[in-house]
């Protein structure tokens, strides 16, 4: 999920803000724009959660000003580990 942080199809670097920072090469395969209020249980499950309500609460913790009428990008990607395996 991305909010006010556009993504593009194709090669990407996934940056995980941890200590130390982790960067993973990937390929963005799909970007779906939707309202926060329209997120589904399927979207939540793709994020390792159970319900859309949990997903919205998680997003709200990361983006405190987020409301149901805001648009987010649901980004689908594949890790590019250099082996050619999907």
């Amino acid at each position: 999920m991305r909010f006010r942080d556009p993504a593009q199809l194709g090669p990407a670097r996934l940056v995980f803000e941890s200590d130390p920072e982790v960067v993973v090469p990937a390929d963005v395969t799909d970007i779906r724009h939707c309202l926060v209020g329209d997120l589904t249980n399927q979207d939540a499950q793709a994020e390792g959660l159970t319900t859309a309500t949990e997903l919205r609460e998680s997003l709200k913790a990361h983006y405190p000003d987020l409301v149901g009428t805001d648009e987010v990008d649901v980004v689908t990607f594949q890790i590019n580990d250099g082996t050619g395996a999907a």
Side-chain angles (χ1 to χ4, degrees), residues 43-61:
D43 294 325
Q45 291 160 5
E47 293 289 325
L49 301 169
T50 304
T51 67
T53 300
E54 284 180 288
L55 177 56
R56 284 189 282 275
E57 289 170 358
S58 176
L59 288 169
K60 183 81 173 161

Side-chain angles (χ1 to χ4, degrees), residues 15-63:
V15 179
F16 297 90
E17 297 171 356
S18 56
D19 188 18
E21 182 178 84
V22 175
V23 179
V24 178
D27 290 304
V28 175
T29 57
D30 188 54
I31 303 169
R32 178 173 55 91
H33 310 285
C34 74
L35 300 179
V36 172
D38 292 336
L39 290 168
T40 67
N41 290 344
Q42 185 176 2
D43 294 325
Q45 291 160 5
E47 293 289 325
L49 301 169
T50 304
T51 67
T53 300
E54 284 180 288
L55 177 56
R56 284 189 282 275
E57 289 170 358
S58 176
L59 288 169
K60 183 81 173 161
H62 193 73
Y63 305 108

